[in-house]
Amino acid sequence: MGLRTKNIDSEGEFVRQVRYTAGLWGLSPKAFALLFLVFSIVSCGADSSESDEAAAAPPAESQTEILVQTNLARSKGRMCGDTWYPAAGPVVWNAELEVAAARHSLDMDTNDFFAHEGSDSTTVGDRATDAGYNWQVVGENLSLNAIAYSVAIQGWIDSTSHCEALMRADFEELGVKRVGLYWTMVLGVQL
């Protein structure tokens, strides 16, 4: 499957996306833009003692950037394979789901495999429970070799089963983690 990135085709579309995302958090567009700018500046700071190898690594997306891109994707109805999914509500970050995602990304990177079942035979449900998440429903999306979250999420949108998980309306929370080039997104609903 080829991965594509989506370009925002006009300034008007960008402004609508900013207004929508700001509204999700109860912020004015100006306040959201200022908050995003502050997060961007803070995340760009680098320790001068970093090695050249670390400095050459792609920057890690912040939770805010991941939530913005995820909720933007969920805010638009779309076809996932042959099935129409209406727009879904926003999700919020969950630290336990991030731990579950980190565990699986690290496992795949360390043990050089790519699958939903862990090297220790755990499932996404096992990993979420072990992380302390009291779940009713959990789902997982994986991506390999995506150099940025925007590439990973576009790949999930282009894949029927991953798109279905992304657009599932009852998911309320998520955690995402990249280790190396292994991305894991865990979505869930608590009991």
Side-chain angles (χ1 to χ4, degrees), residues 150-185:
S150 59
V151 177
I153 197 166
Q154 187 60 53
W156 294 330
I157 290 168
D158 292 343
S159 164
T160 301
S161 62
H162 295 96
C163 179
E164 290 169 348
L166 181 67
M167 295 303 293
R168 189 169 169 162
D170 57 344
F171 283 140
E172 298 173 348
E173 300 173 305
L174 91 158
V176 175
K177 194 65 174 182
R178 179 186 75 189
V179 176
L181 291 177
Y182 292 87
W183 288 90
T184 303
M185 167 194 271

Side-chain angles (χ1 to χ4, degrees), residues 1-7 17 66 68-85 141-143 146 149-168 185 187:
M1 167 182 69
L3 297 178
R4 300 176 312 218
T5 58
K6 180 178 178 189
N7 295 319
Q17 292 173 4
I66 290 170
V68 166
Q69 291 182 50
T70 302
N71 287 326
L72 181 61
R74 288 172 56 89
S75 73
K76 299 175 183 174
R78 67 180 71 248
M79 294 295 292
C80 296
D82 295 330
T83 305
W84 171 256
Y85 283 80
N141 282 341
L142 306 177
S143 180
Y149 185 71
S150 59
V151 177
I153 197 166
Q154 187 60 53
W156 294 330
I157 290 168
D158 292 343
S159 164
T160 301
S161 62
H162 295 96
C163 179
E164 290 169 348
L166 181 67
M167 295 303 293
R168 189 169 169 162
M185 167 194 271
L187 297 137

